């Protein structure tokens, strides 16, 4: 969720206003531009698993590799 869902976030009580959502989104944008900003990561409650691109993508790579391995071994066949 993000800027486009600002109304929903306010309705759900996750933000007090659309300005709050915008401020949060600006912090995320800033962290994206400068991932070494530990101050922003801390403020947003994010750790290395999210900030470090290699760590963030490692789980997805492992998942895809596991699916590929299962497919090669024929373990993904649905109609056995």
């Amino acid at each position: 969720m993000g800027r486009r869902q600002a109304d929903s976030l306010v309705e759900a009580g996750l933000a007090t206003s659309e300005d709050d959502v915008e401020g949060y989104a600006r912090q995320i944008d800033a962290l994206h531009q400068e991932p070494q900003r530990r101050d922003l990561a801390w403020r947003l409650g994010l750790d290395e698993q999210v900030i470090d691109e290699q760590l963030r993508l490692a789980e997805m790579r492992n998942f895809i590799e596991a699916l590929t391995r299962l497919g090669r071994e024929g373990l993904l066949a649905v109609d056995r």
Side-chain angles (χ1 to χ4, degrees), residues 1-39:
M1 292 192 126
R3 290 175 169 116
R4 288 179 287 168
Q5 293 88 12
D7 290 339
S8 298
L9 292 169
V10 172
E11 277 182 38
L14 299 173
T16 57
S17 68
E18 289 184 28
D19 287 340
D20 283 348
V21 174
E22 180 60 33
Y24 186 80
R26 272 188 297 216
Q27 290 180 60
I28 292 173
D29 290 342
L31 184 59
H32 177 72
Q33 295 300 315
E34 299 178 77
Q36 73 281 1
R37 296 261 324 257
R38 294 182 68 208
D39 62 315

Side-chain angles (χ1 to χ4, degrees), residues 32 42-43 67 71:
H32 177 72
W42 173 78
R43 204 173 301 145
L67 284 179

Side-chain angles (χ1 to χ4, degrees), residues 55-66:
L55 292 175
R56 186 174 64 242
L57 297 177
E59 186 172 350
M60 183 61 72
R61 273 192 299 276
N62 292 340
F63 177 73
I64 291 170
E65 287 173 13

Side-chain angles (χ1 to χ4, degrees), residues 74-80:
L75 298 175
L76 290 178
V78 177
D79 296 313
R80 284 191 164 206

